[in-house]
DNA sequence: ATTTACCCTACTTTATTTATAGACTTTACA
DNA sequence: TGTAAAGTCTATAAATAAAGTAGGGTAAAT
């Protein structure tokens, strides 16, 4: 399951995507819409900004706005950013690889090989679905 | 990511699958093979037994053995048993459904609709891969 | 100058995962 | 029939991660 952090990130991105006509959107507006703690959401939006997905403007009239096109915000990107690996085991993660200590020879591990296939099929879905797909269905 | 519990379950099932010629296999043999705590593995094997995947025999000469055919032990079954939901959000889980409190109307939630598609594609993979696929690659 | 809102750090609480302990039951076999 | 071997069960502790709080600092608009 995704963490609440990631779920909230998707909600926030959806809200920002729906309000692209506005220059900026306030944290507190998003927080109020979904009943999320203002401070908690702040951290999430910051991470999305650092990843180049959102932009922000300080001061009066400031707020957050979407920088990327919704179709360019893949689900995989958001999940990796806030939740970490998509792979089901550390030994098959592309971005967060770690060997399994119980595994003598990864090349002979059937579980490893099957999980690589699972990972590839999951990635195929998560890289090809994007914020645009979410917005289309709202 | 899968919990260690689930990963160990897959290791244990693989070991039992590879030793189907023996009547029974000792917990401690499996634990030693993968460097897992005997007591921790005990709980895992018990759950697999209660789920009808393994059988066991007490006393001297006892141990665990695979009841099901490897092809009938889908990855999804093991994951659900030990880790819970496969879906990425509680509101799209088939077996562990819970509504999202921030969601007024699930039917109008784009995230919900996209995550249903993701769930279905993940399930398609995890229900069609089984212990047999792991054993084939050992 | 003051309001408004983003930025940053640290901490606390809660939940989950991982692991351990110890007593109990069943079985094989001498 | 006794004893050692092996799984069963319940409870609890330790470690880690997730979720949420607090409070002040910094930049920009009017």
């Amino acid at each position: 399951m995704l963490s609440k952090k990631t779920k909230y990130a998707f909600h926030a991105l959806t809200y920002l995507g729906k309000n692209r006509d506005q220059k900026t959107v306030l944290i507190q507006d998003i927080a109020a819409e979904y009943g999320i703690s203002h401070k908690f959401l702040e951290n999430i939006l910051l991470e999305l900004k650092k990843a180049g997905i959102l932009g922000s403007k300080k001061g009066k009239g400031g707020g957050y706005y979407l920088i990327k096109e919704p179709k360019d915000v893949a689900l995989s990107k958001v999940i990796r950013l806030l939740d970490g690996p998509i792979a089901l085991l550390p030994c098959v993660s592309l971005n967060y690889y770690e060997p399994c200590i119980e595994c003598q020879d990864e090349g002979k591990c059937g579980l490893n090989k099957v999980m690589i296939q699972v990972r590839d099929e999951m990635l195929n879905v998560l890289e090809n679905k994007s914020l645009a797909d979410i917005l289309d269905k709202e």
Side-chain angles (χ1 to χ4, degrees), chain A:
Chain A
M1 297 265 274
L2 299 177
S3 66
K4 289 192 180 181
K5 228 172 169 170
T6 302
K7 182 170 71 165
Y8 293 162
F10 281 122
H11 281 316
L13 288 167
T14 303
Y15 191 90
L16 286 162
K18 284 165 82 174
N19 292 283
R20 266 179 299 163
D21 53 319
Q22 291 177 42
K23 278 180 199 148
T24 63
V25 172
L26 300 183
I27 292 182
Q28 65 190 60
D29 288 351
I30 304 173
E33 175 76 12
Y34 300 101
I36 308 169
S37 139
H38 177 276
K39 281 294 195 177
F40 194 42
L41 185 58
E42 207 176 273
N43 291 322
I44 296 166
L45 295 179
L46 256 181
E47 289 198 66
L48 292 169
K49 188 196 166 183
K50 285 176 184 162
I53 297 170
L54 300 182
S56 66
K57 191 158 172 270
K58 289 183 181 178
K60 194 166 190 179
Y64 278 99
Y65 51 92
L66 205 56
I67 286 184
K68 296 212 175 194
E69 286 298 307
K71 69 174 173 47
D72 296 327
V73 182
L75 302 192
S76 59
K77 180 150 195 169
V78 178
I79 293 173
R80 283 207 179 103
L81 189 65
L82 294 153
D83 255 12
I86 285 168
L88 296 183
L89 293 179
C91 65
V92 301
S93 172
L94 294 172
N95 293 262
Y96 301 83
Y97 172 82
E98 271 183 67
C100 294
I101 44 175
E102 75 272 18
C103 211
Q104 310 283 333
D105 182 355
E106 216 166 78
K108 289 181 184 161
C109 179
L111 182 58
N112 179 277
K113 289 180 187 161
V114 167
M115 286 302 177
I116 285 175
Q117 294 178 354
V118 172
R119 177 204 68 199
D120 287 342
E121 302 206 49
M122 282 175 64
L123 272 181
N124 186 44
V125 177
L126 296 175
E127 306 222 299
N128 286 303
K129 288 206 186 293
S130 69
L131 179 55
D133 294 296
I134 298 174
L135 290 171
D136 281 351
K137 296 196 174 58
E138 283 273 320

